[in-house]
């Protein structure tokens, strides 16, 4: 009798272990690696009204900064832009918390032609599972297309996560990945705006880039004393704007930007800061930098 009881208990324990090990799919989870500290850098394009052609762009950084609990009893990863998401360990579905409850964002176990109902869209489907080369490495992707007029879809990349998103119906935006830091490993370039707002500056200022000369990346910082529209651009030696780095309203603080000139030839370049406050004040400053390859 004792042997039977022992064997029964062992059998129950093994069954429990088997069920738990099958609940979490470690392969599927790599399509959306949620870990505090993971960071993604995107090129963000805004589309003009009534158009799907980009008219401004800037670099956008988002990272996972914490884990938070919500009234529904679930724990979510909080992104720096306020988005809350979690992966359900049983279904491998990704859910978004929108303030009053959660809705389905994607399914990591989905296959081509699978359909699902996600958030504000009635239906979406996986219409592409092709390979995409990122930083010289071919990676599997899943494209989730929303059923709606216009173009609304996002792409998840294996080992990286959120790779691309577009929301366009007579205006909107898209985002394309520049680089990411996943579990402490960097892929590509982190091009974006980093802010440290511990002390509010007394004046607007633009710092000299460093290093200078540089190859192929350099950093330059600026300070904003009042809330306003900030525009930061790079120009070639002929005065032609070749890249718009920042074009958005920023709160007072100190900011640092990294520019990657890997696609540009050696030479002299200029970067210009323009700040327009709601009080009508306008500040501009331009500095020179040298790229040597």
């Amino acid at each position: 009798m004792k042997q039977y009881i022992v064997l029964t208990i062992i059998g129950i324990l093994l069954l429990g272990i088997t069920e738990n090990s099958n609940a979490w799919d470690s392969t599927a989870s790599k399509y959306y690696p949620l870990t505090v500290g993971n960071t993604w850098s995107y090129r963000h394009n805004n589309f003009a009204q009534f158009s799907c052609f980009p008219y401004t762009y800037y670099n956008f950084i988002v990272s996972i900064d914490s884990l938070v609990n919500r009234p529904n009893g679930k724990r979510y990863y909080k992104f720096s832009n306020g988005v809350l998401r979690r992966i359900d360990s049983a279904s491998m579905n990704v859910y978004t918390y929108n303030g009053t409850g959660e809705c389905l964002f994607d399914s990591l176990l989905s296959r081509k032609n699978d359909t699902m109902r996600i958030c504000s869209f009635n239906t979406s489907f996986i219409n592409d599972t092709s390979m995409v080369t990122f930083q010289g490495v071919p990676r599997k992707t899943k494209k989730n297309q929303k059923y709606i007029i216009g173009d609304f879809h996002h792409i998840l990349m294996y080992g990286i996560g959120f790779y691309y998103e577009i929301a366009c119906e007579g205006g909107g935006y898209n985002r394309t990945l520049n680089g990411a830091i996943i579990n402490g490993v960097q892929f590509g370039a982190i091009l974006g705006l980093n802010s440290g707002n511990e002390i509010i500056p007394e004046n607007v200022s633009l710092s000299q880039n460093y290093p200078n000369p540089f190859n192929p990346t350099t950093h330059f910082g600026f300070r904003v004393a009042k809330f306003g529209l900030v525009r930061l651009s790079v120009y070639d030696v002929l005065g032609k704007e070749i890249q718009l780095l920042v074009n958005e309203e920023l709160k007072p603080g100190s900011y640092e930007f990294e520019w990657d000139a890997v696609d540009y030839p050696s030479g002299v370049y200029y970067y210009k800061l323009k700040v327009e406050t709601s009080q009508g004040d306008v500040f501009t400053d331009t500095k020179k930098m040298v790229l040597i390859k």
Side-chain angles (χ1 to χ4, degrees):
M1 177 63 70
K2 292 182 179 179
Q3 291 180 343
Y4 175 79
I5 293 174
V6 172
L7 289 174
T8 301
I9 294 174
I10 292 175
I12 292 173
L13 291 175
L14 289 176
L15 179 61
I17 293 171
T18 302
E19 289 179 343
N20 291 336
S21 64
N22 288 338
W24 180 261
D25 191 316
S26 59
T27 299
S29 67
K30 288 183 172 61
Y31 278 99
Y32 204 54
L34 297 184
T35 302
V36 174
N38 283 358
T39 301
W40 295 264
S41 169
Y42 299 94
R43 174 186 168 115
H44 181 107
N45 293 281
N46 284 325
F47 297 142
Q49 190 176 12
F50 309 119
S51 169
C52 288
F53 295 98
Y55 71 97
T56 61
Y57 69 87
Y58 56 89
N59 289 306
F60 175 85
I61 282 186
V62 62
S63 60
I64 300 177
D65 56 26
S66 61
L67 274 167
V68 297
N69 295 315
R70 285 299 174 257
N72 61 359
K74 306 295 184 181
R75 175 174 281 195
Y76 296 83
Y77 286 90
K78 182 181 178 182
F79 290 75
S80 56
N81 61 347
V83 171
L84 300 177
R85 292 210 172 109
R86 73 177 182 92
I87 299 175
D88 183 81
S89 61
S91 63
M92 298 306 294
N93 289 341
V94 182
Y95 291 95
T96 294
Y97 188 83
N98 59 14
T100 58
E102 67 176 17
C103 58
L104 181 67
F105 170 74
D106 208 328
S107 174
L108 302 184
L109 294 177
S110 59
R111 299 180 179 181
K112 189 172 183 179
N113 298 322
D114 283 355
T115 60
M116 63 194 81
R117 293 180 177 272
I118 63 171
C119 295
S120 59
F121 297 91
N122 290 328
T123 309
S124 73
F125 68 105
I126 305 299
N127 73 345
D128 191 1
T129 55
S130 62
M131 301 288 289
V132 173
T133 299
F134 179 69
Q135 293 297 309
V137 179
R139 296 179 180 272
K140 300 176 183 177
T141 62
K142 293 184 180 184
K143 178 180 176 181
N144 191 314
Q145 180 75 47
K146 286 79 171 178
Y147 277 120
I148 195 169
I149 298 173
D151 191 0
F152 290 77
H153 73 261
H154 65 258
I155 296 175
L156 299 181
M157 175 175 282
Y158 186 81
I160 299 293
F162 208 83
Y163 172 69
Y164 178 80
E165 179 183 32
I166 184 170
C168 183
E169 184 183 358
Y173 68 92
N174 69 11
R175 288 175 183 166
T176 305
L177 187 71
N178 293 317
I181 300 174
I182 307 297
N183 301 325
V185 180
Q186 182 167 333
F187 303 87
I190 307 299
L191 310 177
L193 202 58
N194 296 312
S195 170
N197 295 314
E198 296 82 5
I199 302 176
I200 297 178
E202 296 182 359
N203 301 296
V204 182
S205 62
L206 177 66
S207 66
Q208 184 64 51
N209 68 300
Y210 67 92
N212 189 36
F214 66 96
N215 177 30
T217 61
T218 189
H219 298 77
F220 35 82
F222 60 89
R223 295 181 177 180
V224 178
K226 298 178 181 179
F227 181 83
L229 178 63
V230 177
R231 182 183 176 89
L232 181 65
S233 304
V234 177
Y235 296 81
D236 63 19
V237 71
L238 299 177
K240 178 183 176 182
E241 183 180 86
I242 60 172
Q243 193 167 359
L244 177 62
L245 304 177
V246 180
N247 187 30
E248 58 183 305
E249 292 183 328
L250 297 177
K251 62 183 179 180
S254 299
Y255 297 85
E256 183 176 285
F257 197 91
E258 179 185 73
W259 184 52
D260 190 336
V262 66
D263 296 326
Y264 297 96
S266 298
V268 175
Y269 294 86
Y270 298 89
Y271 57 103
K272 178 180 179 180
L273 176 70
K274 182 178 181 181
V275 180
E276 298 179 75
T277 70
S278 57
Q279 291 79 20
D281 300 324
V282 179
F283 170 89
T284 60
D285 192 9
T286 303
K287 294 188 181 296
K288 183 173 71 173
M289 54 185 173
V290 180
L291 172 63
I292 299 178
K293 293 187 174 180

